[in-house]
Amino acid sequence: QVQLMESGGGSVQAGGSLRLSCTASKFSYSSNCMGWFRQAPGKERERVATIHIGGSNTYYSDSVKDRFTISQDNAKNTVFLQMNSLKPEDTAMYYCVTGPSTMGGNCYTRGYEYTSWGQGTQVSVSS
């Protein structure tokens, strides 16, 4: 099973930026989607951003579109989430995930489709 190691969380004021990193222990053709989910206390888990490794398909939730950018470094099995213009509502535990893609090369919506999850990194945004 692929192991995921996350880093980059922290506390910032609204309008600030953070960059999350997630490195996979190995590349697997059966785990060619990577990305981030988040969950805030009392709220449902939300897919934030995903990327098809080696491809160009990306997904962003409406709540982060135009503020967050997901990117990849294939040589290092690493994905990054650049988070700009952070808002208090972005406060959550962020989890790196990896899993298979659909036949069409897109990443799945539901968390249960992802086979590996990181430990999570906390992002806190104060107003």
Side-chain angles (χ1 to χ4, degrees):
Q1 190 173 359
V2 177
Q3 306 296 320
L4 301 174
M5 180 172 293
E6 304 140 326
S7 62
S11 298
V12 296
Q13 289 191 327
S17 298
L18 285 172
R19 189 192 197 207
L20 305 183
S21 299
C22 175
T23 299
S25 57
K26 62 181 179 180
F27 174 75
S28 169
Y29 285 103
S30 63
S31 297
N32 53 2
C33 272
M34 288 185 73
W36 302 87
F37 279 71
R38 70 184 180 186
Q39 188 164 23
K43 294 188 177 181
E44 291 189 358
R45 188 169 57 190
E46 174 190 19
R47 181 169 66 136
V48 176
T50 52
I51 188 167
H52 185 269
I53 300 300
S56 60
N57 287 349
T58 57
Y59 164 88
Y60 298 96
S61 68
D62 287 342
S63 59
V64 307
K65 201 171 293 183
D66 298 325
R67 298 188 298 120
F68 291 11
T69 303
I70 190 168
S71 60
Q72 59 184 303
D73 182 339
N74 293 342
K76 298 181 179 179
N77 295 334
T78 299
V79 293
F80 306 97
L81 186 67
Q82 179 65 42
M83 305 185 294
N84 298 329
S85 302
L86 282 161
K87 304 176 181 180
E89 50 263 45
D90 294 317
T91 295
M93 186 71 78
Y94 284 69
Y95 297 93
C96 180
V97 298
T98 187
S101 63
T102 68
M103 293 292 287
N106 294 307
C107 297
Y108 286 98
T109 299
R110 305 294 184 184
Y112 61 75
E113 299 283 3
Y114 292 83
T115 51
S116 294
W117 288 70
Q119 293 295 312
T121 185
Q122 179 68 39
V123 171
S124 298
V125 185
S126 58
S127 57

